Amino acid sequence: MSKEQRRPPTLSMPQWKRREEMILFALSKSVPWLAFINLSFAVIIIFRNQLFSHFDAGLSLHGNIFQTINIMMFLTMLMSAVMAGAAVIASKNRSAWLSHILDISLLLISLIWSFCCYIFVTFWALPIAYPLAIILMLTALAGLYFYPRGLLLSVFPLWITVLAANITLYSEIYVRFFVIWVLFTLILIYGRQILQRWFNENWERHQDNLLLITRLETIANQDPLTETANRRAMEVHLNMAINRNVPFSLIMLDVDYFKRYNDHYGHQAGDECLVKMAKILKAAVRTPEDVVARYGGEEFLLLLPDASAKEAELVAERIHKLLMQEAIPHLQSDVSDIVTVSMGIASSGDDKSVAELISAADSALYRAKSQGRNRWCG
């Protein structure tokens, strides 16, 4: 018998079962980028006097406002790191408190920028204030369009602040600015709808891919004739059972004188016999967790999790009784006038490998044949 052990194929495509899993994965990729942008702007503002000579000297002083701005920027850097960490961890460990940390970080960073932009507009009338706010809102849109709660927490404080700062600066609603503010609001809304439509289409395509993968796996893991697991699938189950370190038993089963059956009744009748045999084996096992596989031409292998050798013998006895009841004619058999099987039983233990267990079951099957067939040996 072949000693080759096949490994299940690894898929590079993530297999999200729920939409929330896809959102968390997307957050783990986009939030660190958002954090980097916030951190970069914070660094620029902290080192403004080094980047732009005597920047503060050209601004009117209002108490400790410069120190307050610096503290806010250091806090932004800290919250950016927390936000990025929470998003990455949440993608691997779905926890409500991690989502809360992410949301709180997004809100705090937005509030900090809102405060700073308000100061930039109302106290210093800096021309960079509006572009800064717009960039921050657009980056939040690009990174969080699929996460409505986080997007609202990031954009809404800045969106309100821009209008409030302009009203404070001019002591009224400046009509031209208000028109621009409304247009920008429509840009945000429409842009989010377009991006969300793209995200939804990708989710639907992903679901279609998962369905296709499931169908392909069924084809790859199922014997088309008997509709039992095939050899590849059985070896995967065996490796999983070994890795889980739980006791189990194997029954290797061979139809007695099956070549004679084929020669006498024809290959179509032989196929029908194997189909009936598969149904009998499925009826004889104990639970849905028991695996029935067609391991060779007329050879089947049964994996019985949490089964001792004695329990495996009870399954073998049920197989024998069901075969007697089915009474498939086999006039060319030397042991009976109906189809019979020989079975070999092996149990896990003593750190046996998959190959060693299959070899033990095969040896037990050989002994059953040597002793006259139509029986089982352990």
Side-chain angles (χ1 to χ4, degrees):
M1 295 186 62
S2 173
K3 305 299 182 184
E4 179 187 3
Q5 295 186 28
R6 300 181 180 87
R7 294 183 179 180
T10 55
L11 297 173
S12 58
M13 187 189 79
Q15 298 189 58
W16 303 298
K17 297 297 187 297
R18 298 184 301 117
R19 186 184 178 90
E20 290 76 10
E21 294 175 2
M22 184 175 177
I23 291 174
L24 287 174
F25 177 81
L27 285 172
S28 71
K29 302 300 181 183
S30 64
V31 170
W33 171 70
L34 285 175
F36 174 74
I37 290 175
N38 282 278
L39 188 146
S40 299
F41 280 129
V43 169
I44 290 173
I45 292 176
I46 289 173
F47 293 100
R48 58 192 179 276
N49 289 306
Q50 287 74 29
L51 295 171
F52 309 99
S53 299
H54 308 293
F55 184 85
D56 288 356
L59 302 174
S60 57
L61 295 176
H62 291 273
N64 296 322
I65 195 67
F66 293 124
Q67 183 179 358
T68 302
I69 293 293
N70 289 338
I71 292 174
M72 290 295 181
M73 291 302 99
F74 281 117
L75 185 57
T76 297
M77 295 170 65
L78 175 62
M79 295 308 301
S80 296
V82 171
M83 177 177 68
V88 172
I89 297 173
S91 67
K92 301 175 182 178
N93 178 24
R94 295 188 297 275
S95 177
W97 65 270
L98 286 170
S99 297
H100 293 329
I101 289 177
L102 175 60
D103 292 343
I104 292 171
S105 300
L106 290 169
L107 177 60
L108 287 178
I109 290 174
S110 183
L111 290 173
I112 290 171
W113 283 120
S114 298
F115 170 80
C116 293
C117 287
Y118 187 84
I119 296 298
F120 295 162
V121 172
T122 58
F123 282 74
W124 298 329
L126 289 177
I128 64 168
Y130 293 121
L132 174 62
I134 290 172
I135 291 173
L136 290 172
M137 284 189 279
L138 289 177
T139 53
L141 173 66
L144 300 170
Y145 67 89
F146 52 85
Y147 185 52
R149 185 172 69 242
L151 178 61
L152 186 63
L153 292 172
S154 293
V155 171
F156 187 74
L158 281 165
W159 179 72
I160 290 295
T161 297
V162 168
L163 180 62
N166 189 263
I167 293 173
T168 301
L169 184 64
Y170 294 101
S171 302
E172 61 180 353
I173 297 180
Y174 191 43
V175 176
R176 282 180 289 183
F177 177 85
F178 183 75
V179 170
I180 295 173
W181 182 76
V182 170
L183 288 174
F184 180 72
T185 301
L186 295 176
I187 291 171
L188 289 176
I189 295 172
Y190 187 48
R192 196 258 171 181
Q193 289 178 346
I194 293 174
L195 292 171
Q196 186 64 47
R197 188 180 305 124
W198 173 85
F199 189 84
N200 293 338
E201 289 174 356
N202 273 272
W203 169 249
E204 292 171 3
R205 190 176 299 115
H206 176 75
Q207 293 298 100
D208 292 339
N209 289 338
L210 281 185
L211 181 60
L212 178 60
I213 289 171
T214 301
R215 290 174 178 172
L216 290 175
E217 285 182 343
T218 299
I219 294 172
N221 294 323
Q222 188 178 74
D223 177 63
L225 176 64
T226 61
E227 296 184 351
T228 61
N230 60 17
R231 181 172 184 148
R232 172 185 175 276
M234 174 55 80
E235 290 178 350
V236 171
H237 282 289
L238 284 170
N239 280 296
M240 290 175 59
I242 290 286
N243 293 334
R244 286 168 52 204
N245 197 27
V246 295
F248 62 90
S249 291
L250 295 179
I251 299 178
M252 184 168 284
L253 176 148
D254 193 73
V255 180
D256 294 328
Y257 299 109
F258 187 73
K259 185 179 183 302
R260 295 184 187 180
Y261 188 98
N262 265 339
D263 292 341
H264 181 74
Y265 294 100
H267 288 283
Q268 183 174 351
D271 288 347
E272 292 173 358
C273 177
L274 292 177
V275 170
K276 291 178 182 178
M277 181 62 63
K279 290 179 180 179
I280 289 172
L281 297 180
K282 291 176 182 178
V285 294
R286 308 160 306 156
T287 68
E289 283 71 35
D290 294 343
V291 181
V292 179
R294 186 183 178 192
Y295 206 64
E298 71 277 13
E299 192 174 62
F300 290 86
L301 189 63
L302 279 64
L303 170 62
L304 309 174
D306 296 315
S308 63
K310 185 65 177 177
E311 290 172 311
E313 289 179 6
L314 294 176
V315 173
E317 185 177 352
R318 278 199 298 275
I319 294 171
H320 181 76
K321 289 180 179 179
L322 289 172
L323 270 173
M324 294 299 105
Q325 294 173 11
E326 188 70 23
I328 305 170
H330 190 354
L331 298 179
Q332 299 300 310
S333 174
D334 288 348
V335 295
S336 176
D337 58 356
I338 63 174
V339 170
T340 59
V341 295
S342 300
M343 292 173 274
I345 298 173
S347 297
S348 62
D350 300 325
D351 295 325
K352 294 178 183 176
S353 66
V354 170
E356 290 171 337
L357 283 167
I358 292 176
S359 178
D362 188 45
S363 297
L365 173 60
Y366 179 79
R367 290 195 300 273
K369 290 182 177 182
S370 300
Q371 294 174 15
R373 303 180 190 255
N374 191 23
R375 67 192 68 225
W376 62 84
C377 287

